[in-house]
Amino acid sequence: VRMSKSKEFKTALLEGPLAKPTTLAIFITQTIENEAPPEDAGACIRFFKRKTHPETLLSDKIQFAVLGLGDSNLLLDRQHTAAKDCNQVAQMLDVRLEALGGQRFCQRGESDERTGLLEVEPWIDLLVEKIKECL
């Protein structure tokens, strides 16, 4: 197990010894106001959003899982909201990682601060179960 800050991901996952199909990269990201990532995650998200990357950038390099942490309380202009409405960064990242050749390890998780992030624990349970299957 190795934890890396989002600004260190490129070296850790794409260029170093971890760039192999058995590496599981777990991205936990937040969506803040205006569907933006927090400042610390900005470089990582912008890197993956680049349109100049080949579709094979992540092929045979990583498996990935994405958990979104959102807060529908920030969506004051809507009457009815759910976790899917406040996790745009996680949604975009999940789709983009797959488009770049990454292999999805488990389904994307989306949580909402308004509901006390109740969706996080079941997603972690799913992730742990899938990891156990690989052992």
Side-chain angles (χ1 to χ4, degrees):
V1 174
R2 177 180 173 179
M3 291 182 62
S4 296
K5 293 184 178 188
S6 60
K7 64 183 176 183
E8 300 167 352
F9 75 94
K10 188 165 65 169
T11 303
L13 291 177
L14 302 179
E15 300 166 0
L18 295 177
K20 54 188 174 184
T22 57
T23 296
L24 173 59
I26 302 170
F27 294 87
I28 301 173
T29 188
Q30 180 182 17
T31 299
I32 58 174
E33 295 177 25
N34 300 318
E35 301 179 6
E39 186 175 333
D40 286 349
C44 178
I45 300 301
R46 285 189 302 275
F47 174 81
F48 285 118
K49 286 176 79 172
R50 288 184 193 159
K51 297 191 186 321
T52 57
H53 289 314
E55 292 178 3
T56 58
L57 179 72
L58 301 177
S59 295
D60 298 322
K61 291 189 179 155
I62 66 165
Q63 296 179 65
F64 68 89
V66 177
L67 174 62
L69 305 175
D71 186 353
S72 62
N73 289 310
L74 299 174
L75 306 172
L76 301 175
D77 59 333
R78 299 184 189 172
Q79 290 292 327
H80 303 286
T81 58
K84 68 177 178 57
D85 299 314
C86 58
N87 280 285
Q88 295 87 349
V89 173
Q91 294 163 0
M92 179 284 306
L93 181 61
D94 183 70
V95 169
R96 187 67 177 144
L97 292 172
E98 185 176 48
L100 292 172
Q103 181 182 353
R104 184 177 288 108
F105 186 75
C106 74
Q107 69 187 31
R108 177 182 64 242
E110 296 179 356
S111 62
D112 186 354
E113 180 69 33
R114 187 190 304 206
T115 62
L117 302 174
L118 295 174
E119 304 88 351
V120 172
E121 194 168 326
W123 184 84
I124 291 173
D125 291 342
L126 172 67
L127 179 66
V128 169
E129 191 60 39
K130 293 198 64 85
I131 290 171
K132 286 180 180 177
E133 290 173 9
C134 295
L135 300 177

